[in-house]
Amino acid sequence: MIGKGHAIASTGASIEYGWNQEKNAEVVLKEYLAGENPKEITEEFKIIQSQNERCINNTLSFVVSPTIEDGKELTKRELQEIAKRFIKEMNLQNNQTIGFVHRDKAHTHVHIYANRISLKGEVYKDSFIGKRSQIAADNVAKELGLKRVWEVQQERLQELKVQRLAIKYINDRVLESRPKSLDEYIGKMKDCQVKVIPSINKSNQLQGFRFEYKGANLKGSEVHRSMTGGRLIGEISQNTSYSRLKEIPQSLKLLDKTVQISSNMATKIAKDLVKQVIKRALDTGIGI
């Protein structure tokens, strides 16, 4: 089961979407609310939200998604229990909440909207709410014996074992040729039918790489732990002038663009370079 969450300002439109009858919506959660339609529910939210008008994103939006297999078997009562437990895990028992199950797609899921302003007028802290939503959904899945995210991930990786082994083998052969840049590495992988896709965030920071091969699309860490972005850059950097720790670049050229290296990735690269230097020293018998 997967959980997603973020703070929003569009309370009315979101509740209208949740109640959409074209999606076969059913109400499975309703706490501290009496309204019988989206407009009435929105007005009730606004009454409480008026206690703190400085809070702009004053509604919390969550999506809780069981696996396709679990979703097919879950009854309305069981989905109601999931929604209630999720709200408890998120510590939102003192806030207005409404939840709808959508069954218009193969993937049954629950939309939950919670007033970010509590009945006491307190603002709910939304820091790391996405991650906290994931943890809450996982805890609920564990309690109710539903399939958890890591189990689904492991099954998927096992199904793609052949592709993962092939990508790792090709990666190792390409690295043995000592490419001197990421572009050269990406080009050589492409020659072997592996497409390397850089993951770049909105801040133009390189986060890592994905690998496409024979229908599989995998993060580097899903292929093998040695294929994370930091480790690949560290390995390739050893073939260039960036062999000393203090010379690790803060940016680099990638597919004719300049991208930044996050401080987190730079730290990982530095650690890997130190390990590689120590290993080479031991392999060659160099003493200190």
Side-chain angles (χ1 to χ4, degrees):
M1 187 159 66
I2 298 172
K4 299 179 181 179
H6 58 284
I8 60 174
S10 54
T11 306
S14 297
I15 293 176
E16 186 80 41
Y17 173 81
W19 215 314
N20 190 342
Q21 292 306 304
E22 291 181 4
K23 297 182 179 295
N24 301 319
E26 291 183 281
V27 177
V28 292
L29 178 71
K30 196 175 181 183
E31 298 292 341
Y32 308 113
L33 295 165
E36 294 297 333
N37 57 58
K39 184 177 180 180
E40 291 176 356
I41 297 295
T42 301
E43 288 303 315
E44 290 183 63
F45 266 51
K46 287 181 178 180
I47 291 171
I48 301 299
Q49 290 166 347
S50 66
Q51 297 179 85
N52 192 319
E53 295 182 348
R54 291 177 299 175
C55 182
I56 304 301
N57 294 330
N58 50 17
T59 296
L60 301 170
S61 173
F62 302 100
V63 180
V64 181
S65 303
T67 63
I68 293 176
E69 293 76 14
D70 284 342
K72 290 177 180 178
E73 303 297 327
L74 291 168
T75 65
K76 181 179 178 180
R77 184 181 293 276
E78 289 169 331
L79 289 163
Q80 183 179 43
E81 183 65 20
I82 287 172
K84 286 184 175 181
R85 291 190 183 219
F86 178 83
I87 287 301
K88 184 178 180 182
E89 285 285 337
M90 295 299 295
N91 197 27
L92 283 163
Q93 303 98 308
N94 294 318
N95 296 57
Q96 293 170 315
T97 53
I98 187 162
F100 310 91
V101 59
H102 285 183
R103 299 183 186 269
D104 59 313
K105 298 178 181 179
H107 205 154
T108 298
H109 54 282
V110 180
H111 289 271
I112 300 173
Y113 302 101
N115 198 331
R116 193 174 167 193
I117 311 302
S118 74
L119 300 177
K120 297 179 180 179
E122 299 168 340
V123 180
Y124 184 88
K125 293 182 180 179
D126 66 342
S127 54
F128 307 107
I129 192 168
K131 185 64 177 178
R132 286 158 49 204
S133 300
Q134 294 174 19
I135 294 171
D138 187 62
N139 288 342
V140 173
K142 183 179 179 180
E143 291 171 3
L144 298 178
L146 300 173
K147 188 160 286 187
R148 302 165 67 187
V149 172
W150 68 269
E151 293 175 317
V152 176
Q153 292 172 337
Q154 288 302 310
E155 288 178 1
R156 173 173 171 266
L157 293 180
Q158 187 61 33
E159 290 172 358
L160 297 173
K161 185 176 181 179
V162 173
Q163 291 96 321
R164 289 166 55 216
L165 290 172
I167 294 171
K168 178 62 167 58
Y169 175 82
I170 293 169
N171 169 79
D172 292 348
R173 300 292 78 77
V174 169
L175 289 178
E176 285 177 0
S177 70
R178 299 181 65 80
K180 292 181 171 56
S181 69
L182 284 172
D183 282 355
E184 184 181 348
Y185 169 79
I186 291 172
K188 289 185 173 182
M189 291 290 282
K190 184 178 180 181
D191 291 340
C192 298
Q193 284 71 56
V194 178
K195 183 178 181 181
V196 181
I197 307 168
S199 297
I200 301 171
N201 65 17
K202 294 180 181 179
S203 300
N204 195 41
Q205 292 182 329
L206 181 65
Q207 301 292 294
F209 301 95
R210 297 192 71 88
F211 297 82
E212 282 188 1
Y213 179 74
K214 292 189 176 180
N217 186 314
L218 297 156
K219 292 190 296 185
S221 59
E222 292 176 329
V223 178
H224 193 270
R225 62 177 179 272
S226 66
M227 291 180 63
T228 61
R231 290 193 173 184
L232 282 177
I233 293 172
E235 180 78 20
I236 294 169
S237 295
Q238 286 290 294
N239 304 329
T240 68
S241 60
Y242 302 119
S243 57
R244 289 178 294 172
L245 197 60
K246 65 180 182 180
E247 293 179 348
I248 292 174
Q250 297 303 306
S251 63
L252 48 80
K253 281 283 186 181
L254 182 60
L255 303 177
D256 297 323
K257 294 181 181 180
T258 299
V259 296
Q260 305 298 313
I261 295 179
S262 67
S263 57
N264 188 34
M265 181 174 284
T267 300
K268 291 178 181 178
I269 294 171
K271 289 180 179 179
D272 284 334
L273 285 176
V274 169
K275 291 178 182 178
Q276 290 176 33
V277 169
I278 293 173
K279 184 177 184 301
R280 290 183 182 184
L282 292 173
D283 290 345
T284 55
I286 298 175
I288 299 176

